[in-house]
Amino acid sequence: MQIHDLPYPDPGVPDARSGPRFLWWLGRNQLGGQLRALAWGLLHFASVAALPFCVGLAVQAVVDGSGARLAAAGGLLALACAGNALGDTFLHRAAVTNWITAAARVQQLLARKAARLGSALTRRVAAGEVVAVSTGDVEKIGWFVEAVSRFTAAACTVVLVCIALLLYQPALGIVVAAGLPALALAVLPLLPRATRRADVQREKAGRATELASDTVAGLRVLRGIGGEELFLDRYRRASQEVRHAAVRSARMWSLISAVQVLLPGLLLIAVVWYGVHLARQGRITVGQLVTVYSSVMVLTYPLRHFEEIAMAYSFSRPSAMRAARVLSLERTTNTGGSRPAGIPSGDLHDPATGLRAPAGLMTAVVCGDPDAAGRLAERLGGHPSEPGTPVLLGGVPLDELPLDSARTAVLVQDKDPVLLSGSLRDLLDVPASGGVTAREALAAAQCEDVLDALAQASATAGDPMDVRITERGRSLSGGQRQRLALARSLITDPPVLVLDEPTSAVDSHTEARIAGGLRGLRSGRTTVVFTSSPLLLDRADRVVLIHEGRVEAVGTHQDLVRTEPRYRSVVTRETDEERFAQGPPGHGGAPRGAPAGGSADDEATLRGAFEDIDAIEEIEETA
């Protein structure tokens, strides 16, 4: 695989059982690139290691006064220099290729996993950790993958040089052969502490990244309440902790580097001292002493790769563990039965809670716990974060459907939908049935003012659909982002649409119009809305109250307000004192702020309130 061939047609199925296994899997899948880098590395290091022998031959030829041997030594020296240049150039090229292709493979794997899991990914793994894996961790993993071949070439060169020195000059060769393994293994006792400090640094850096992401995402709200300085102080403290951890980690790695400089120097001193002693005794020639001395000096270069591979592995192992943890997440499926063909139709039923959404109707779900509502919405989409009883669509378990079929059948919009950067036309360019146009979806979601705002924001764009929306829609208000996300869901026109608090950030008048538009556009289609807004609840065909994970009541909004105290306390934000003052549950009670005159007065009051809202809506539509 070359860089110009990226991305991979298929990045493969990773071995995500552990970090080391994942690194081994990456190396095996780039065997061709590793072998090319190893070959060029052997040429490069062998050429570097041959230079001392050429110099030794030249020195001895000068001492002996042999011009022929001096010319031969010069030719060998020129050949070694050419091999060094050629090997170094193509080794760097092959190593960078291995690094980039490994990083690209990991990024493709992460992107594929994120696409398969959807919103369930951030429910299982912190968003900051996902960001850290897809950015910094990918680089560290690629670093180790490309360093393996260079280290292997360096290790082979060191072994070959030791053997050559033993054959060339056994007396000094024994000293070098005994000292080099000690140099290579001397840093091993320091590696565990260096690794722990590096892990602490990465952990603190991940926390700081997550804090920064949350601060940037909520900057508009923080400025509104004057809390930006508080969060900036928190980030300053977090960044200082990262700095202190980085300094502690750097101290340990600097100690390892110092050891790698000190010990080769000591070995070099020992070789020179012993070599001079042998030369005085006449046991070795001057050329042999120069050759051995130069070889020890040159070997400090490949020995540096022992330190590099130790650093690369220490940094990449926790990164690979985090990547493997993300890649090991799977969609919760029930593989016990055979997968049905096609997309089923019919009622949407959750046996765990007893929730049933009849086909073709709009069902509103009231749940006092927003987190429980989010988990239930996720279950209804067919990809729950935890295993359990599967949701049925037309009697067919959703988790037995292929992922594409499940997502085509049921679309779930989270309470915090994300808008990607790009034009509004790109935002609405999603897989759709074709039954709903962009204009109809935007009108139902009440996005007229959003179009006007986009048109005013860009004087050069003639069509608001071509105006660019910034990352995550930060140039828009929360209500505008929510309405655009709703329009994106509506234009998809799925057989089953699940909306989790789709109007929580809009005002009541806009919410009333959205309720009417949603009801009209989704007529005859199955729609499930998780909400506690009376404006949406009154438009639903049926309302379901879920309490402590089970269906407690089913009916219309007005009936449940009169007869179900739990429902009324959630919808009207009624306190315990107010509910107690209105009498026991059997008397029906009254909504918060209503006169305690009886159920007939309560109904009249409630009906009047909704008639007023309808009247306001008609006036605004006429205007």
Side-chain angles (χ1 to χ4, degrees):
M1 172 63 71
Q2 299 296 321
I3 296 178
H4 59 76
D5 296 326
L6 295 174
Y8 289 95
D10 181 11
V13 180
D15 186 350
R17 289 177 291 178
S18 65
R21 288 179 181 272
F22 180 62
L23 292 175
W24 174 248
W25 178 84
L26 281 175
R28 285 191 293 107
N29 278 269
Q30 292 186 216
L31 190 58
Q34 295 287 352
L35 292 177
R36 282 192 296 270
L38 176 61
W40 291 116
L42 287 173
L43 175 61
H44 169 57
F45 290 117
S47 300
V48 171
L51 294 176
F53 291 92
C54 298
V55 172
L57 290 176
V59 170
Q60 191 62 39
V62 172
V63 172
D64 297 338
S66 174
R69 282 191 294 160
L70 181 61
L76 292 176
L77 187 62
L79 184 63
C81 290
N84 179 23
L86 184 65
D88 189 23
T89 300
F90 285 93
L91 170 62
H92 178 73
R93 179 185 179 90
V96 171
T97 300
N98 289 337
W99 179 79
I100 293 178
T101 51
R105 185 187 296 273
V106 177
Q107 286 182 328
Q108 280 189 254
L109 291 171
L110 292 171
R112 185 176 66 181
K113 182 62 64 175
R116 289 181 177 178
L117 293 179
S119 62
L121 176 61
T122 53
R123 294 181 187 272
R124 303 185 193 180
V125 181
E129 183 171 352
V130 177
V131 173
V133 170
S134 59
T135 54
D137 287 341
V138 167
E139 296 182 2
K140 294 180 178 65
I141 293 171
W143 177 27
F144 174 75
V145 171
E146 65 91 8
V148 168
S149 55
R150 288 190 287 112
F151 163 73
T152 305
C156 292
T157 302
V158 170
V159 173
L160 292 176
V161 170
C162 289
I163 295 175
L165 288 177
L166 285 173
L167 297 176
Y168 180 71
Q169 179 46 249
L172 289 178
I174 293 176
V175 176
V176 176
L180 286 179
L183 296 183
L185 302 176
V187 298
L188 291 182
L190 301 176
L191 288 179
R193 181 175 296 182
T195 302
R196 287 194 297 269
R197 292 189 179 185
D199 290 343
V200 172
Q201 176 192 350
R202 281 187 291 272
E203 181 181 356
K204 291 184 180 296
R207 293 177 182 174
T209 301
E210 187 171 356
L211 179 60
S213 301
D214 294 341
T215 302
V216 172
L219 191 58
R220 183 189 297 269
V221 177
L222 292 176
R223 286 178 175 174
I225 62 177
E228 63 268 26
E229 285 299 327
L230 174 62
F231 276 81
L232 286 176
D233 290 339
R234 291 181 180 178
Y235 181 74
R236 289 190 188 101
R237 290 194 297 269
S239 64
Q240 288 302 311
E241 291 179 0
V242 174
R243 184 178 68 85
H244 291 308
V247 170
R248 284 175 52 83
S249 178
R251 286 174 180 170
M252 185 55 63
W253 287 111
S254 64
L255 177 60
I256 293 175
S257 298
V259 170
Q260 290 290 310
V261 173
L262 176 62
L263 294 183
L266 295 177
L267 177 62
L268 190 61
I269 293 174
V271 169
V272 172
W273 178 84
Y274 187 54
V276 170
H277 176 70
L278 294 177
R280 285 179 176 178
Q281 294 179 349
R283 296 170 58 182
I284 63 173
T285 64
V286 176
Q288 290 175 333
L289 177 59
V290 172
T291 298
V292 176
Y293 169 78
S294 302
S295 298
V296 175
M297 280 192 59
V298 170
L299 282 180
T300 59
Y301 170 58
L303 283 175
R304 284 285 181 179
H305 291 78
F306 286 77
E307 176 190 353
E308 182 192 13
I309 196 65
M311 292 181 62
Y313 182 74
S314 298
F315 280 94
S316 65
R317 183 182 57 81
S319 298
M321 291 174 61
R322 282 197 292 266
R325 183 163 58 249
V326 174
L327 294 175
S328 63
L329 299 176
E330 294 292 342
R331 177 191 175 212
T332 305
T333 57
N334 180 11
T335 59
S338 59
R339 290 189 172 186
I343 300 175
S345 60
D347 296 350
L348 184 67
H349 176 55
D350 178 26
T353 60
L355 172 64
R356 181 178 296 275
L361 299 182
M362 178 176 174
T363 302
V365 181
V366 176
C367 186
D369 184 1
D371 294 334
R375 290 192 294 270
L376 179 55
E378 185 183 88
R379 282 175 49 79
L380 294 180
H383 37 272
S385 57
E386 299 177 356
T389 306
V391 174
L392 307 178
L393 178 60
V396 178
L398 279 179
D399 59 5
E400 291 184 1
L401 291 175
L403 184 60
D404 294 341
S405 299
R407 286 183 171 171
T408 302
V410 182
L411 173 65
V412 179
Q413 176 179 303
D414 294 335
K415 65 179 65 178
D416 297 317
V418 176
L419 303 182
L420 302 179
S421 60
S423 66
L424 182 57
R425 195 182 307 278
D426 295 334
L427 175 69
L428 300 179
D429 185 16
V430 294
S433 66
V436 177
T437 64
R439 184 178 299 276
E440 293 173 339
L442 291 170
Q446 301 300 311
C447 295
E448 292 84 357
D449 64 321
V450 182
L451 297 176
D452 294 339
L454 291 175
Q456 295 174 4
S458 178
T460 58
D463 190 346
M465 297 289 290
D466 297 324
V467 176
R468 183 174 181 81
I469 299 174
T470 57
E471 181 187 2
R472 301 178 68 92
R474 291 195 175 100
S475 59
L476 305 173
S477 67
Q480 290 173 331
R481 290 196 299 269
Q482 198 171 56
R483 282 177 283 164
L484 286 179
L486 178 60
R488 180 178 58 185
S489 299
L490 292 175
I491 199 174
T492 305
D493 191 32
V496 179
L497 176 61
V498 180
L499 303 173
D500 189 4
E501 294 289 353
T503 59
S504 59
V506 301
D507 59 84
S508 59
H509 302 299
T510 305
E511 188 176 27
R513 295 194 296 271
I514 291 176
L518 179 63
R519 175 64 184 266
L521 195 63
R522 293 290 299 175
S523 178
R525 310 285 270 175
T526 306
T527 307
V528 180
V529 183
F530 287 84
T531 183
S532 59
S533 169
L535 299 173
L536 284 173
L537 294 170
D538 190 59
R539 293 283 188 171
D541 295 301
R542 62 200 303 269
V543 179
V544 179
L545 171 65
I546 294 182
H547 180 69
E548 295 183 354
R550 295 296 301 175
V551 173
E552 292 291 335
V554 179
T556 64
H557 169 61
Q558 296 184 12
D559 291 340
L560 293 178
V561 166
R562 290 195 307 269
T563 61
E564 182 54 53
R566 291 194 187 95
Y567 178 84
R568 185 169 58 248
S569 65
V570 175
V571 173
T572 65
R573 308 297 194 271
E574 187 179 62
T575 64
D576 293 338
E577 291 79 4
E578 291 172 331
R579 186 166 63 250
F580 179 77
Q582 293 166 16
H587 292 83
R592 183 180 61 176
S599 59
D601 292 338
D602 299 341
E603 183 177 356
T605 302
L606 189 64
R607 186 183 301 111
F610 285 109
E611 288 176 354
D612 292 340
I613 292 174
D614 292 337
I616 293 173
E617 181 181 349
E618 292 177 0
I619 292 173
E620 291 179 348
E621 289 177 352
T622 303

